C-alpha cells in the first residue's frame, strides 16, 4: 500500500458532504427561528462558494435556489391567505370569504397582521433552507459520485440509477438538436404536430442510447460474477429481501402503534440481515475500484460537525424554546449558543477540506 | 484465435440471411481488415466476435463462433470481456463513465483487476495513446478524434487478446486517423494483440492489414486473402490500387511508398502532357456571377462560447466547395450557420439573397438543404417508404419524387425497413434523398461519406456533380480527401474557428501532405489528384501520339 501525500488537492468523499448537508437540513427543519435559519443558509452557501466544482454543478445549485425562492413565496402567500389569525399590529384588511362554521379556525382572507406575515415568512424560510441545503449537497458532491461508493452488492442498482440520471440532461440536448434539424425538412417545429414529429426521433435516440450503453457496459464486463455457488446467491437475495421486510414492519410499529417492546429488536435484526446479505452478495462480484475516494480527517470533520448541528438543534428544541419564533413575532429572536457554535464548527470544517483539483479545461 | 465455423446468421423477421456458410479463422497477432459494401454485414460480423450478436440483437445463429475456444453461444459479452475488447462505430455511444480516467478504468473495475495494477495500466494507456493531457477531462467535451482514442484506450486497458474496431477512423481527420492506426499497429507488433477492424477508408488502412476479409453482402460467401490479392480485382479498391490498374502495373501497391516505386515511368509519360492547360480543362472552373452564399463577419457559437470568430465568405453558384480542418475546428458550426440553424451573434448570412434563419420552413427547403452529421435526426417516419412520401407532401412535390431520388443514389436500401434498422450508410442515403428531392439552391453536407463504401461514394460524387451542373451550390464538410479531390473545385481550410486557407482544391490539396489524396502523393510533383484525371490525361496522350504517328506517316 502506497501512502499518498495527505495535503494533495482532491475531491472530498461524497458521503461526507451528504452527511454534513443532511445534518444542516435536519437542524433547519426543526427551527422557525429566522436567525438560526439564516445562519444555516449562510453555512450551506459557503460550502458551495468554496468547494463547488466548476461547470454544470453550478446549475444544480442555481436551480435549487430558484426552487427555494418559489417555495418561500408560495408558502408566505398561503400563510397570508389561509393562515390562522394572530393578534397584533394590523397591516392590511383583506376581503374575507365567509366559511361555514364546520371549517373550524380556517379562514380565507381577513385581517393581516404583521405577526402573521412574519410567522408565514419564517415557515417559508424553513422549507427554503432545507431545499438549499440539499441543493448544496447536490452541487458539491453529485449523487453520481455518491453512488460510486455504494456497496458492491448494490452496484447494479447504483449503475441503473446513474444511467437514468445521466439520460435526463442528454434528453434536453437531444430535443434542442432535433428541433433545429427538423426545420430543415420544411416542417413547423412549433404546435402540437411539431412536437409529435419531435418525439419519435428523440425517444428513439434515447432508447438507442440506452441500448448502446447497455451493450457497451456488457462488452466491458459489467455484471460479471465469480463462480460462486447458486446457493450463496440465493441466500444473499433472500437475506436482503427479509431485511427490507423486517425493517419496514419494525419501523411501522416503532413509529406508529405505541412501540411494542419487540419493535426495536425487529428493526435491529432487519439491519443485521441486510448487512449480511449485502456482504454475501458482494462476494459474488469481483469488482475493484479505481481510485476509491478515501475517508480521512476532512471527511470525519465534515460528518461529525454535520451530525453535531443536528444533535444540537434537537437538544435545543427538546429542552428550550430557542428554536421557535418568539411569542411576540416582531421582537428580535435569540440565537441559541449551542446551535450557533455547531454551525460555526460546520462552516469551519469546510475551510479545512482540501481544495478541488484544478480541472484541465481546454 | 477467432473461429467462425460454418456460421449462418439471420435477424428475426428478415428473409435473407446476413451471413451464410461463413468459415473464417483469424490467427493470433494478426491485423485483419474487414471490408465490403454498405450494409453487407461487416458490423454484424464484428459484433458476433464478442457475442453482442445475437445476445443483444436477437436473431438466429447456426454454426459456432468461438474466441480462444470460448463459444459465444454459451458466453455472453460480459463473459468474454477479459478476452475481447470492442470499439463501436460511435465512440460517444459507448462511453460509460464521465471522465477520461474513469472510462479507461471501467473495464478493469468490472473484471476485478487489483487497484495498483489498474493504476499502472491507466498510466501506460494514457502514454501509449497520447491522452495524458486529457486525463481529467469530461468525456462529453472531447473532439471526435480524442473520443475515438479514449474509446480504444478503454478497450485496451483490460489487456484483451483480441481488439475489434468498427470504422475506427471514419470520423477522424487525416492526422488523427494516422495516430489511431499507428497505435493499433504498435499493439499488434509489440503486444501480439489480434486486431479485427472494419473500415471503408481503404486508402488509410489497407497498407497496415495482414489479411483482408471481403464481405460481399446478400449472404454470398466471404473472400479471404492477403490485401493485395483481394483488392487487386475488387470493386472496392483504394486509389493506389485503381491507379495500378490504370497504369497496368503487375504488382498491386497498397501504400503510397510502394506505388511511388512503380511510378517513375508513369510520371514521365504524364509529365509530357500534363501542362496546366490540360489539367485545367479536365476540371472546368465554372463562373456564375451570382453569389449563392454570402457570409459577412459572422460570429456564431453555442451558448456563450463563440466558435466562429468573424467569418466572411462568398461562394458562387454552381460550385462544389469543400470545408476541411481537424475535428472540432468549426466546420459543422459554419454549415449550421449557413442553413440558418444557428442565429449568428453578429454578422450577416445570406443564401441566394435571403436570410435562412427567418425563412418560413416551406421556403427553406427549396433554398437550402443540410444533411447533418447525425443523419438520423432528419428521419422520423416508420419506414423508408413513408419517409419518402412524407417528404413529397411537405415540400409539395409530385408523388414519388423522393423515392426516385433514393432509387438513384442508393438502390440497395429496402423500402419497408425502419430507418433505425438501416446501416449507417443506408440511413445517410435516405437522409440525402430527403434533402435532395426539393432540389434546394444550396446543398450542405456534413461528413457525407461516413459508412459509404467506394461504389456508393461514386454514386454520391455523380449526384453532386450533376447538382453543380444545374447551377446548384454544394458545400461539404469532410475529412475524406479523396472525395474532395473528386468533386470540389474550391477548398476552404478551417482551424480554430478561422479560415486559414482558401483556394482551388488543386492548390490547397497539393500544398500540404496531410490533405493530399493518394494519387497526388504518388505522382508529385505532378498536380494530378484522381485516377480519373490520370485516365483522361493518358487518353489524351494516346490520342496525341496516334495523331503524331499519322502525321509522320503522311
Amino acid at each position: 500500500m502506497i501512502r499518498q501525500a495527505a495535503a494533495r488537492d482532491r475531491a472530498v468523499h461524497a458521503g461526507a458532504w451528504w452527511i454534513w448537508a443532511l445534518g444542516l437540513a435536519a437542524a433547519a427543519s426543526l427551527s422557525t427561528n429566522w436567525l438560526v435559519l439564516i445562519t444555516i443558509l449562510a453555512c450551506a452557501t459557503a460550502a458551495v462558494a468554496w468547494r463547488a466544482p466548476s461547470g454544470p454543478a453550478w446549475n444544480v445549485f442555481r436551480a435549487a435556489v430558484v426552487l427555494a425562492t418559489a417555495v418561500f413565496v408560495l408558502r408566505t402567500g398561503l400563510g397570508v391567505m389561509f393562515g390562522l389569525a394572530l393578534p397584533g399590529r394590523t397591516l392590511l384588511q383583506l376581503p374575507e370569504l365567509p366559511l361555514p362554521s364546520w371549517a373550524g379556525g380556517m379562514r380565507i382572507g381577513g385581517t393581516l397582521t404583521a405577526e402573521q406575515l412574519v410567522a408565514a415568512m419564517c415557515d417559508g424560510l424553513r422549507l427554503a433552507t432545507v431545499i438549499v441545503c440539499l441543493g448544496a449537497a447536490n452541487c458539491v458532491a453529485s449523487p453520481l459520485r455518491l453512488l460510486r461508493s455504494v456497496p458492491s452488492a448494490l452496484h447494479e442498482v447504483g449503475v441503473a440509477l446513474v444511467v437514468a440520471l445521466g439520460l435526463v440532461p442528454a434528453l434536453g440536448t437531444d430535443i434542442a438538436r432535433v428541433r433545429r434539424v427538423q426545420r430543415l425538412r420544411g416542417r413547423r417545429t412549433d404546435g402540437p404536430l411539431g412536437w409529435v414529429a419531435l418525439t419519435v426521433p428523440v425517444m428513439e435516440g434515447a432508447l438507442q442510447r440506452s441500448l448502446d450503453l447497455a451493450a457497451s457496459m456488457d462488452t466491458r464486463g459489467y455484471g460479471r460474477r465469480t463462480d460462486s455457488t447458486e446457493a450463496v446467491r440465493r441466500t444473499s437475495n433472500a437475506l436482503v429481501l427479509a431485511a427490507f421486510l423486517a425493517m419496514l414492519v419494525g419501523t411501522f410499529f416503532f413509529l406508529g402503534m405505541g412501540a411494542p417492546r419487540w419493535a426495536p429488536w425487529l428493526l435491529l435484526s432487519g439491519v443485521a440481515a441486510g448487512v449480511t446479505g449485502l456482504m454475501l452478495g458482494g462476494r459474488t462480484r469481483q469488482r475493484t475500484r479505481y481510485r476509491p475516494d478515501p475517508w480521512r480527517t476532512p471527511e470525519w470533520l465534515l460528518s461529525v460537525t454535520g451530525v453535531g448541528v443536528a444533535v444540537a438543534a434537537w437538544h435545543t428544541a427538546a429542552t428550550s424554546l430557542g428554536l421557535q419564533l418568539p411569542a411576540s413575532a416582531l421582537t428580535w429572536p435569540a440565537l441559541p449558543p449551542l446551535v450557533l457554535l455547531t454551525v460555526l464548527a460546520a462552516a469551519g470544517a469546510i475551510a479545512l477540506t482540501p481544495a478541488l483539483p484544478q480541472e484541465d479545461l481546454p | 484465435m477467432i473461429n467462425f465455423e460454418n456460421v449462418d446468421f439471420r435477424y428475426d423477421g428478415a428473409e435473407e440471411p446476413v451471413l451464410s456458410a461463413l468459415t473464417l479463422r483469424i490467427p493470433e497477432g494478426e491485423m485483419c481488415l474487414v471490408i465490403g459494401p454498405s450494409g453487407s454485414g461487416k458490423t454484424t460480423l464484428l459484433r458476433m466476435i464478442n457475442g453482442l450478436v445475437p445476445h443483444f440483437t436477437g436473431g438466429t445463429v447456426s454454426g459456432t463462433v468461438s474466441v480462444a475456444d470460448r463459444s459465444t453461444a454459451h458466453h455472453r459479452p460480459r463473459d468474454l470481456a477479459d478476452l475481447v475488447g470492442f470499439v463501436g462505430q460511435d465512440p460517444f455511444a459507448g462511453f460509460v463513465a464521465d471522465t477520461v480516467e474513469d472510462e479507461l478504468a471501467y473495464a478493469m473495475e468490472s473484471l476485478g483487476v487489483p487497484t495498483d495494477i489498474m493504476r499502472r495500466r491507466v498510466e501506460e494507456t494514457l502514454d501509449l495513446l497520447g491522452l495524458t493531457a486529457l486525463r481529467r477531462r469530461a468525456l462529453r467535451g472531447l473532439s471526435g478524434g480524442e473520443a475515438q482514442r479514449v474509446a480504444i484506450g478503454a478497450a485496451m486497458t483490460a489487456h484483451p487478446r483480441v481488439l475489434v474496431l468498427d470504422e475506427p477512423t471514419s470520423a477522424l481527420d487525416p492526422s488523427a486517423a494516422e495516430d489511431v492506426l499507428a497505435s493499433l499497429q504498435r499493439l499488434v507488433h509489440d503486444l501480439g494483440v489480434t486486431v479485427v477492424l472494419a473500415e471503408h477508408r481503404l486508402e488509410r488502412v489497407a497498407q497496415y492489414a495482414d489479411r483482408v476479409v471481403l464481405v460481399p453482402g446478400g449472404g454470398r460467401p466471404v473472400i479471404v486473402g492477403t490485401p493485395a490479392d483481394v483488392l487487386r480485382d475488387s470493386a472496392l479498391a483504394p486509389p493506389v490500387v485503381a491507379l495500378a490498374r490504370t497504369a497496368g502495373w503487375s504488382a498491386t501497391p497498397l501504400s503510397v511508398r510502394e506505388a511511388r516505386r512503380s511510378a517513375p515511368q508513369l510520371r514521365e509519360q504524364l509529365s509530357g502532357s500534363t501542362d496546366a492547360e490540360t489539367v485545367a480543362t479536365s476540371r472546368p472552373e465554372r463562373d456564375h456571377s451570382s453569389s449563392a452564399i454570402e457570409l459577412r463577419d459572422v460570429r456564431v457559437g453555442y451558448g456563450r462560447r463563440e466558435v466562429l470568430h468573424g467569418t466572411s465568405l462568398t461562394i458562387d453558384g454552381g460550385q462544389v466547395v469543400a470545408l476541411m480542418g481537424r475535428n472540432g475546428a468549426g466546420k459543422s458550426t459554419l454549415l449550421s450557420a449557413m442553413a440558418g440553424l444557428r442565429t449568428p451573434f453578429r454578422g450577416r448570412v445570406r443564401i441566394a439573397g435571403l436570410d435562412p434563419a427567418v425563412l418560413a420552413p416551406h421556403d427553406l427547403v427549396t433554398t437550402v438543404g443540410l444533411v447533418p452529421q447525425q443523419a438520423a435526426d432528419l428521419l422520423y417516419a416508420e419506414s423508408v417508404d413513408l419517409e419518402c412520401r412524407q417528404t413529397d407532401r411537405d415540400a409539395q412535390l409530385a408523388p414519388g419524387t423522393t423515392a426516385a431520388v433514393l432509387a438513384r443514389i442508393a438502390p440497395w436500401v429496402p423500402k419497408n425497413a425502419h430507418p433505425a434498422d438501416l446501416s449507417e450508410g443506408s440511413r445517410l442515403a435516405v437522409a440525402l434523398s430527403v434533402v435532395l428531392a426539393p432540389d434546394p439552391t444550396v446543398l450542405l453536407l456534413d461528413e457525407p461519406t461516413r459508412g459509404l463504401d467506394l461504389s456508393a461514394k461514386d454514386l454520391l460524387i455523380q449526384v453532386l456533380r450533376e447538382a453543380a451542373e444545374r447551377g446548384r451550390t454544394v458545400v461539404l464538410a469532410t475529412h475524406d480527401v479523396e472525395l474532395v479531390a473528386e468533386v470540389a473545385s474550391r477548398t476552404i481550410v478551417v482551424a480554430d474557428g478561422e479560415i486559414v486557407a482558401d483556394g482551388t482544391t488543386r492548390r490547397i490539396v497539393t500544398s500540404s501532405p496531410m490533405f493530399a489524396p493518394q494519387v497526388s502523393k504518388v505522382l508529385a510533383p505532378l498536380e494530378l489528384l484522381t485516377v480519373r484525371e490520370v485516365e483522361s490525361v493518358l487518353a489524351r496522350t494516346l490520342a496525341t501520339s496516334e495523331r503524331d504517328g499519322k502525321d509522320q506517316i503522311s
Side-chain angles (χ1 to χ4, degrees), chain A residues 177 183 185 187 216 224 288, chain B residues 78 94 113 356 377 380 390:
Chain A
R177 195 188 70 230
R183 219 175 89 82
R185 293 265 323 241
R187 319 205 96 214
S216 173
R224 256 167 93 100
T288 46
Chain B
R78 68 186 79 157
V113 174
D377 290 353
Y380 46 80
Q390 185 64 45

Side-chain angles (χ1 to χ4, degrees), chain B residues 307-332:
Chain B
V307 177
L308 294 180
H309 317 291
T311 306
S312 296
L313 183 64
T314 312
I315 296 174
D316 295 336
Q319 271 196 331
V320 180
V321 179
L323 289 177
M324 300 195 79
R326 67 174 84 82
N327 294 100
K331 303 185 295 294
S332 300

Side-chain angles (χ1 to χ4, degrees), chain A residues 51-105:
Chain A
R51 290 294 178 262
S54 54
W58 269 102
N59 298 340
V60 176
F61 188 65
R62 201 174 304 146
V65 170
V66 169
L67 181 68
T69 315
V71 165
F72 174 70
V73 171
L74 193 72
R75 178 66 188 84
T76 311
L78 286 176
V80 168
M81 283 307 290
F82 304 106
L84 286 169
L86 286 176
R89 219 173 298 164
T90 305
L91 281 182
L92 262 175
Q93 193 66 45
L94 294 170
E96 185 167 352
L97 214 69
L99 282 182
S101 57
W102 50 258

Side-chain angles (χ1 to χ4, degrees), chain A:
Chain A
M1 194 67 211
I2 305 159
R3 199 168 282 278
Q4 302 277 345
R8 216 188 137 197
D9 292 352
R10 66 184 177 91
V12 176
H13 197 289
W17 277 122
W18 277 85
I19 293 177
W20 181 84
L22 287 174
L24 289 186
S29 72
L30 290 173
S31 167
T32 46
N33 179 333
W34 56 266
L35 210 53
V36 171
L37 289 174
I38 284 178
T39 326
I40 293 175
L41 208 55
C43 183
T45 313
V48 176
W50 294 340
R51 290 294 178 262
S54 54
W58 269 102
N59 298 340
V60 176
F61 188 65
R62 201 174 304 146
V65 170
V66 169
L67 181 68
T69 315
V71 165
F72 174 70
V73 171
L74 193 72
R75 178 66 188 84
T76 311
L78 286 176
V80 168
M81 283 307 290
F82 304 106
L84 286 169
L86 286 176
R89 219 173 298 164
T90 305
L91 281 182
L92 262 175
Q93 193 66 45
L94 294 170
E96 185 167 352
L97 214 69
L99 282 182
S101 57
W102 50 258
M106 282 270 289
R107 52 165 210 148
I108 299 177
T111 317
L112 173 68
T113 59
E115 281 78 2
Q116 190 189 344
L117 181 66
V118 170
M121 282 170 73
C122 282
D123 213 34
L125 188 63
R126 181 169 67 129
L127 295 176
T129 309
V130 171
I131 293 172
V132 168
C133 285
L134 296 182
N138 255 302
C139 173
V140 291
S142 76
L144 300 189
R145 270 187 48 219
L146 184 66
L147 281 170
R148 260 176 46 187
S149 319
V150 296
S152 64
L154 289 180
H155 177 71
E156 265 97 0
V157 182
V159 172
L161 280 171
V162 171
V163 168
L165 285 173
L167 282 179
V168 175
L171 215 58
T173 49
D174 270 7
I175 289 176
R177 195 188 70 230
V178 174
R179 252 177 89 90
R180 267 200 307 276
V181 168
Q182 287 213 339
R183 219 175 89 82
L184 294 169
R185 293 265 323 241
R187 319 205 96 214
R188 303 197 66 82
T189 46
D190 41 7
L193 259 176
W195 284 100
V196 170
L198 196 64
T199 44
V200 176
V202 168
M203 294 320 282
E204 241 171 48
L207 193 66
Q208 192 57 46
R209 205 195 311 264
S210 345
L211 288 178
D212 283 345
L213 195 60
S216 173
M217 283 164 62
D218 206 288
T219 300
R220 285 152 74 188
Y222 169 74
R224 256 167 93 100
R225 280 157 203 266
T226 47
D227 309 319
S228 61
T229 56
E230 187 66 19
V232 174
R233 209 175 304 161
R234 283 224 190 107
T235 320
S236 142
N237 289 347
L239 273 174
V240 172
L241 193 68
F244 272 119
L245 278 175
M247 284 194 271
L248 195 73
V249 176
T251 317
F252 180 75
F253 281 103
F254 189 66
L255 293 179
M257 312 297 249
R261 209 175 311 150
W262 46 266
W265 294 110
L266 188 63
L267 205 61
L268 272 181
S269 60
V271 170
V275 170
T276 322
L278 289 183
M279 278 170 64
L280 262 182
R283 282 229 313 260
T284 67
R285 277 116 182 135
Q286 44 170 193
R287 278 186 65 80
T288 46
R289 286 222 177 88
Y290 178 75
R291 288 201 181 187
D293 286 330
W295 189 283
R296 301 213 188 93
T297 325
E299 281 81 6
W300 281 116
L301 279 173
L302 277 180
S303 43
V304 167
T305 52
V307 172
V309 174
V311 170
W314 178 74
H315 181 259
T316 314
T319 53
S320 72
L321 291 174
L323 288 184
Q324 306 299 321
L325 202 58
S328 49
L330 293 185
T331 53
W332 195 264
L335 196 56
L338 189 59
V339 174
L340 175 68
L341 218 64
T342 48
V343 172
L344 278 180
I350 310 171
L352 291 175
T353 59
L356 281 175
Q358 284 299 307
E359 292 262 341
D360 320 61
L361 284 171

